Amino acid sequence: MTSYQIIGCALIFLTFACSQKKQETAGVRQEIPEILQNHSEKVSFTKLTGGNVEWIALFNGRDLSGWYTFTQKYGKNNDVEKQFPVEDGTLHFNGEPMGYICTNDSYRNYYLKIVFRWGEKKYPPREGGPRDSGVLYHFPDTAKNILWPVSIECQIQEGDCGDYWLVGGTTADSPNRDAGNDPQVRIVRSANFENPVPEWNTIEVICYDDKSEHYVNGHLVNRAYNLSVTEGKILLQLEAAEIYYKTVDLLPLK
């Protein structure tokens, strides 16, 4: 190999390495999702102007970089029973004990897209009931890590995907029905658009100012306004049911 060829190969390698580093830190460039292109608030989503947008891959497909673990039994960052492994580029929650993974960073005004499917295993108290998980958002930095922390939940449960749960004393208003579960408030989604087990499902959450919306497989199923918390960390629940999370991507809106 000549010196020119060696230099050329080195330049190609450096270009590739820089490209990979940029992807890991800034996210991949993708088109604007259709539900945002047609959204009534699109003009106020200032981060979407100018064509392609910068996504943040909250889950990198390799490990839990950017997240910490919490379980009821062992506390924070003490995953003794290895309940949150990454296998073949997918997060695999094994089912017990109760807990979650949570982002280190807080977010406000964003579009969140999560792709998941259920596994087969269920544990007490879920053996005879529906499989259960959830994405909790707007978990304040100042709030404690407990089951379950102050936050707004987009329910991920068989038959109930897209319901709101107002957790830890949070409040919101919605045109949809309040199921009246005290002390936590449940707002029931308008329709069921879930795919059957074990097919993949897509959950999309749009948060802007004091409002949020829940989408299941492309369908708007719930919305709320006057949210009492509008910024915070994002967590994925481990709730006695085996579940796989393939992607967790975030797109800043403002």
Side-chain angles (χ1 to χ4, degrees), residues 3-246:
S3 59
Y4 291 108
Q5 288 174 318
I6 293 171
I7 293 170
C9 289
L11 288 173
I12 290 171
F13 175 79
L14 287 172
T15 301
F16 175 78
C18 291
S19 175
Q20 288 294 100
K21 184 64 177 176
K22 183 178 180 181
Q23 270 201 350
E24 292 175 5
T25 56
V28 295
R29 298 181 70 85
Q30 300 181 19
E31 295 299 323
I32 298 172
E34 184 177 351
I35 62 174
L36 292 178
Q37 293 179 32
N38 302 321
H39 200 279
S40 61
E41 293 287 330
K42 181 183 176 182
V43 293
S44 68
F45 297 159
T46 54
K47 293 284 187 180
L48 304 187
T49 59
N52 284 335
V53 290
E54 292 289 346
W55 288 70
I56 300 172
L58 296 182
F59 170 53
N60 64 21
R62 300 185 304 276
D63 54 38
L64 290 180
S65 296
W67 302 78
Y68 64 85
T69 65
F70 179 87
T71 60
Q72 186 176 33
K73 189 174 181 180
Y74 299 111
K76 184 177 179 180
N77 280 334
N78 192 26
D79 185 17
V80 173
E81 298 182 10
K82 306 300 180 185
Q83 295 301 313
F84 308 99
V86 177
E87 301 168 352
D88 299 322
T90 302
L91 278 166
H92 178 198
F93 289 12
N94 284 336
E96 62 173 352
M98 295 281 195
Y100 51 82
I101 65 169
C102 183
T103 60
N104 292 322
D105 295 333
S106 292
Y107 301 93
R108 175 185 175 89
N109 293 325
Y110 56 83
Y111 162 88
L112 179 68
K113 181 178 180 180
I114 294 172
V115 178
F116 81 94
R117 72 171 178 87
W118 297 110
E120 293 297 323
K121 292 182 283 188
K122 294 192 286 186
Y123 302 88
R126 296 290 172 196
E127 313 102 299
R131 295 171 177 85
D132 194 4
S133 185
V135 52
L136 278 60
Y137 55 95
H138 295 346
F139 170 23
D141 284 326
T142 54
K144 292 182 178 180
N145 284 286
I146 59 173
L147 294 185
W148 302 104
V150 172
S151 58
I152 308 292
E153 178 178 1
C154 177
Q155 174 74 292
I156 297 177
Q157 178 174 276
E158 288 181 283
D160 296 312
C161 281
D163 284 3
Y164 278 91
W165 282 93
L166 305 179
V167 185
T170 58
T171 59
D173 296 315
S174 174
N176 289 344
R177 178 172 61 90
D178 175 357
N181 293 78
D182 202 28
Q184 296 182 24
V185 176
R186 175 189 175 195
I187 301 170
V188 179
R189 83 279 183 267
S190 58
N192 184 356
F193 292 101
E194 298 164 40
N195 294 325
V197 179
E199 294 181 17
W200 292 100
N201 289 274
T202 299
I203 298 292
E204 296 164 287
V205 178
I206 299 177
C207 299
Y208 55 104
D209 301 329
D210 65 346
K211 309 174 191 68
S212 69
E213 300 169 351
H214 297 170
Y215 295 76
V216 178
N217 293 320
H219 300 273
L220 176 61
V221 297
N222 225 337
R223 56 192 177 94
Y225 53 95
N226 293 333
L227 274 62
S228 60
V229 286
T230 58
E231 180 176 1
K233 295 175 288 187
I234 298 167
L235 67 89
L236 302 176
Q237 288 180 316
L238 166 68
E239 201 164 351
E242 184 181 28
I243 190 170
Y244 296 84
Y245 285 100
K246 182 162 63 174

